[in-house]
């Protein structure tokens, strides 16, 4: 592909985290003709899943963490992103309301909440990942912000710094006689829909054009004409470009089938508990001021997480133990595709019963006071996993001017403010000279285990093979 010029016509498919961050950084880097296409009107609905937007990015909240075990490059990028989240908090707080998109004027003008994150063991010891993470944090000079629940010096430091009340919010020590956990006081969460809306607002301000429409914004095909990529939209228009970046989240493998074997569309399972405002005891306990993000038994067969309640009382819990696949015919191939609540032909709001039971177990053991409330809603959240859980940002072999930007593998959101900075370098052809360009390049693997991608349709994670939880299952049997 010819080198990019300031006037190059660049089309980005997808206005989720990967697409919007790329658009923002391209515009800020001086590219003047950047257009984002999306089949969903993420602007009017402000990425709100309750207003009918289905994507990994369109969610209530997401975890911001810096603990990455031995993956020090992600730890460093997340730490750099943290400074930008702080900056965005400062900016959004002072923008006059009439300059903001309508939905960003509602509620607190704050995207990122430093609530802390408590990584709780479900066993009587911390796992190896925790120990490695603590060692890395020590090496990077940030160990002092981590507090072990069983370390006297850490507990004393947590008290001094006002974090002690978040060391054991489930009263595990008192109830079970043991509590092994690490509180990361640098971590927390962001309101996801608001953060994407803010990034989209910044991208527009920087000159990015948006076509967010079920017909004009839906990319039906990407073809090559006269050596240029051409995007064909659902209404039959052909948009010629110098560069097309496909950031279609869970829809990426259906648009670019070449990624099969490298990327796979899978779903995580999420459930909400609604805490009523008049339950003052619970309302305060589950507020971000008192409740950290929690992960439980991450590498011990449980793999559940929860986030503090929002201003409407929604307490979100996710089950990461198994990610589901959904294989369909796409252009003659069997490819896993999203099956969401609104936007796909097949609709799904249920989650598999195994996932619901994992979430109920988490509540029963750790928050028994929520049992009488029951589950209030469930959702499958579709993302793209890569063979090694690392992102994929590179040109598609054999397709001039077409790049893919995806493979968030369940941890991409926290990089929203910074991801595009690294993507631009790759699109400019400098990927091999950067750490992230080398990590995110097009690749293959001959390992027997490839993050579950080796299973395909024969594997046990296929959604059609699961018993799905119905509303009647949301109640707890005591
Ligand atoms: C359950 C769950 C929990 C997660 N938790 C965290 C977390 O706590 N912390 C964290 O950092 N990350 C987390 N992630 C990961 C993070 O959400 C993703 O990495 C990130 O949002 C992916 O963004 P994306 O832009 O690749 O895809 P998406 O957000 O899915 O966006 C893709 C967009 O492309 C559009 N599109 C698709 N096909 C077409 C087409 N043909 N034409 C036009 N538009 C199209 C879609 O409409 C959509 O808007 C989680 C993900 C899930 C699913």
């Amino acid at each position: 592909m010819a080198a990019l010029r300031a006037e190059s016509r660049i089309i980005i498919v997808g206005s989720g985290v990967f697409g919007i961050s790329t658009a923002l950084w391209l515009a800020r880097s001086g590219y003047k003709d950047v257009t984002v296409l999306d089949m969903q009107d993420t602007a009017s609905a402000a990425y709100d899943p309750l207003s009918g937007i289905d994507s990994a990015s369109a969610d209530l909240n997401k975890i911001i963490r810096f603990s990455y075990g031995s993956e020090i490059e992600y730890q460093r990028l997340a730490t750099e992103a943290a400074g930008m989240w702080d900056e965005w908090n400062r900016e959004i707080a002072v923008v006059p309301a009439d300059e903001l998109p309508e939905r960003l004027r509602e509620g607190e003008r704050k995207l990122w909440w430093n609530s802390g994150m408590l990584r709780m063991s479900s066993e009587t010891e911390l796992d190896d990942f925790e120990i490695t993470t603590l060692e890395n944090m020590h090496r990077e000079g940030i160990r002092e912000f981590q507090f072990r629940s069983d370390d006297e010096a850490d507990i004393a430091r947590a008290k001094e710094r006002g974090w002690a009340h978040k060391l054991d919010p489930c009263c595990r020590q008192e109830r079970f006689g043991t509590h092994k956990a690490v509180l990361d006081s640098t971590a927390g969460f962001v309101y996801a829909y608001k953060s994407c809306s803010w990034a989209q607002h910044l991208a527009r301000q920087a000159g990015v054009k948006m076509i967010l429409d079920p017909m004009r914004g839906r990319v039906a095909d990407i073809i090559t004409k006269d050596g240029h990529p051409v995007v064909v939209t659902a209404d039959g228009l052909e948009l010629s470009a110098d560069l097309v970046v496909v950031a279609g989240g869970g829809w990426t493998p259906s648009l670019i089938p070449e990624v099969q074997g490298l990327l796979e569309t899978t779903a995580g399972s999420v459930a909400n508990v609604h805490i009523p405002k008049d339950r003052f005891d619970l309302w305060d306990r589950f507020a971000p001021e008192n409740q950290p993000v929690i992960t439980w038994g991450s590498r011990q067969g449980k793999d559940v997480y929860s986030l503090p309640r929002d201003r409407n009382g929604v307490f979100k819990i996710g089950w990461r133990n198994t990610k589901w696949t959904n294989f369909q015919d796409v252009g003659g191939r069997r490819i896993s595709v999203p099956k969401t609540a609104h936007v796909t032909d097949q609709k799904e709001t249920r989650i598999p019963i195994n996932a619901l039971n994992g979430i109920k177990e988490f509540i029963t053991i750790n928050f028994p006071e929520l049992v009488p409330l029951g589950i209030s809603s469930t959702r499958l959240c579709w993302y793209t996993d890569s063979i090694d859980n690392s992102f994929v940002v590179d040109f598609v072999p054999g397709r001039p001017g077409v790049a893919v930007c995806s493979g968030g593998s369940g941890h991409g959101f926290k990089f929203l403010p910074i991801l595009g900075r690294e993507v631009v370098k790759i699109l400019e052809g400098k990927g091999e000279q950067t750490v992230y360009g080398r990590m995110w390049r097009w690749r293959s693997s001959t390992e027997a285990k490839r993050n579950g991608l080796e299973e395909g349709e024969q594997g046990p994670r296929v959604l059609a093979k699961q018993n799905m939880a119905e509303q009647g299952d949301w109640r707890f049997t005591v």
Side-chain angles (χ1 to χ4, degrees):
M1 195 190 97
L4 282 182
R5 294 162 290 110
E7 294 73 28
S8 294
R9 288 159 305 166
I10 305 175
I11 292 179
I12 296 171
V13 184
S15 65
V17 163
F18 279 63
I20 211 70
S21 184
T22 300
L24 175 61
W25 279 92
L26 279 167
R28 285 184 167 176
S29 308
Y31 294 97
K32 298 185 190 332
D33 191 355
V34 181
T35 306
V36 174
L37 298 187
D38 202 304
M39 61 185 179
Q40 304 188 67
D41 185 358
T42 48
S44 305
Y47 293 87
D48 183 355
L50 296 178
S51 303
I53 301 295
D54 286 330
S55 73
S57 309
D59 201 351
L60 172 59
N61 43 24
K62 298 283 188 194
I63 302 168
I64 302 290
R65 64 167 161 119
F66 310 95
S67 41
Y68 261 99
S70 57
E71 294 177 290
I72 200 80
E73 296 83 4
Y74 279 112
Q75 183 173 305
R76 286 183 184 146
L77 197 65
T79 306
E80 243 192 296
M84 298 184 184
W85 282 113
D86 284 337
E87 184 61 32
W88 280 9
N89 264 3
R90 282 193 288 273
E91 284 176 25
I92 198 171
V94 297
V95 175
D98 57 359
E99 289 175 25
L100 280 175
E102 204 179 318
R103 299 288 293 271
L104 275 178
R105 296 175 207 162
E106 299 163 2
E108 308 102 330
R109 290 267 206 97
K110 186 171 169 183
L111 305 173
W112 139 239
W113 294 67
N114 177 213
S115 64
M117 179 169 99
L118 186 70
R119 304 189 298 271
M120 293 194 317
S121 172
S122 56
E123 310 284 331
T124 49
E125 286 307 328
L126 289 180
D127 62 42
D128 291 347
F129 179 85
E130 279 310 335
I131 305 296
T132 310
T133 297
L134 287 175
E135 284 166 4
N136 277 339
M137 295 214 164
H138 179 71
R139 204 173 324 130
E140 296 281 302
I142 49 179
R143 171 65 180 82
E144 63 170 305
F145 304 110
Q146 311 291 309
F147 310 118
R148 268 185 81 145
S149 62
D150 60 354
D151 182 294
E152 288 308 320
D154 281 4
I155 295 169
R157 208 169 59 259
K159 275 187 191 144
E160 261 169 47
R161 299 186 186 184
W163 285 97
H165 65 301
K166 291 189 172 176
L167 273 173
D168 189 6
C170 306
C171 309
R172 287 175 65 87
Q173 185 65 42
E174 185 189 323
R175 292 189 299 123
F176 306 121
T178 178
H179 173 54
K180 299 285 174 182
V182 180
L183 177 64
D184 179 354
S185 65
T186 61
F189 68 94
V190 287
Y191 283 119
Y193 63 103
K194 281 193 176 186
S195 302
C196 289
S197 292
W198 174 249
Q200 194 185 91
H201 169 71
L202 295 179
R204 273 183 207 276
Q205 276 191 329
V208 174
K209 291 161 272 186
M210 310 269 169
I211 304 177
L212 312 172
D213 183 88
M215 293 300 285
R216 289 183 302 120
R218 181 190 295 267
V219 175
D221 204 359
I222 301 167
I223 56 176
T224 306
K225 273 192 182 170
D226 305 326
H228 282 280
V230 174
V231 162
V232 185
T233 55
D235 58 352
L237 273 187
E238 292 194 355
L239 308 174
S240 179
D242 297 300
L243 171 65
V244 174
V245 182
V246 179
W251 290 269
T252 303
S254 2
L255 267 179
I256 307 285
E258 293 95 321
V259 298
Q260 221 179 357
L262 171 56
L263 293 179
E264 182 173 67
T265 297
T266 63
S269 311
V270 176
N272 296 319
V273 173
H274 183 248
I275 300 175
K277 253 191 190 137
D278 57 7
R279 287 293 308 270
F280 302 116
D281 51 334
L282 299 179
W283 191 257
D284 284 348
R285 257 195 75 195
F286 286 86
E289 292 75 19
N290 299 318
Q291 179 81 200
V293 167
I294 291 180
T295 64
W296 182 55
S298 285
R299 279 165 173 72
Q300 299 158 330
K302 304 293 185 193
D303 223 350
V304 185
Y305 61 90
S306 65
L307 291 97
R309 66 143 179 87
D310 77 340
R311 69 193 182 102
N312 297 314
V314 178
F315 178 60
K316 185 177 113 177
I317 305 149
W319 190 76
R320 268 195 303 232
N321 192 301
T322 306
K323 296 182 186 178
W324 315 107
T325 51
N326 178 46
F327 285 86
Q328 300 290 315
D329 274 325
V330 181
R333 299 192 198 206
R334 298 290 289 171
I335 293 180
S336 178
V337 296
K339 188 180 185 191
T340 66
H342 311 283
V343 81
T344 53
D345 291 339
Q346 306 171 301
K347 313 273 183 248
E348 189 62 88
T349 54
R350 300 167 304 170
I351 60 175
I353 197 89
N354 281 354
L356 186 78
N357 287 343
I359 289 170
K360 284 164 98 175
E361 183 191 19
F362 168 76
I363 294 173
T364 309
I365 292 178
N366 296 301
F367 293 115
E369 62 278 28
L370 295 183
V371 165
L373 296 179
I375 304 289
S376 57
S377 61
T378 60
R379 177 187 181 218
L380 289 172
C381 178
W382 291 89
Y383 32 33
T384 32
D385 278 338
S386 75
I387 39 172
D388 49 15
N389 264 331
S390 204
F391 308 158
V392 177
V393 183
D394 204 348
F395 291 92
V396 181
R399 287 229 211 178
V402 180
V404 72
C405 179
S406 188
S409 306
H411 65 108
F413 202 99
K414 66 184 72 61
F415 302 108
L416 171 64
I418 202 170
L419 182 84
R421 185 188 76 184
E422 297 305 315
V423 175
V424 170
K425 294 177 196 165
I426 296 168
L427 299 176
E428 288 176 338
K430 300 175 202 149
E432 281 305 306
Q433 297 152 40
T434 70
V435 173
Y436 299 102
R438 289 190 295 273
M439 277 169 63
W440 299 344
R441 69 183 154 207
W442 196 274
R443 55 198 181 272
S444 60
S445 168
T446 50
E447 298 281 318
K449 290 243 178 242
R450 296 188 299 278
N451 202 15
L453 270 72
E454 71 285 355
E455 292 171 2
E457 201 167 358
Q458 281 63 51
R461 301 180 299 136
V462 174
L463 203 57
K465 298 179 185 173
Q466 313 306 317
N467 285 327
M468 302 302 280
E470 305 294 340
Q471 201 164 336
D473 300 310
W474 294 358
R475 283 189 305 274
F476 289 72
T477 40
V478 198

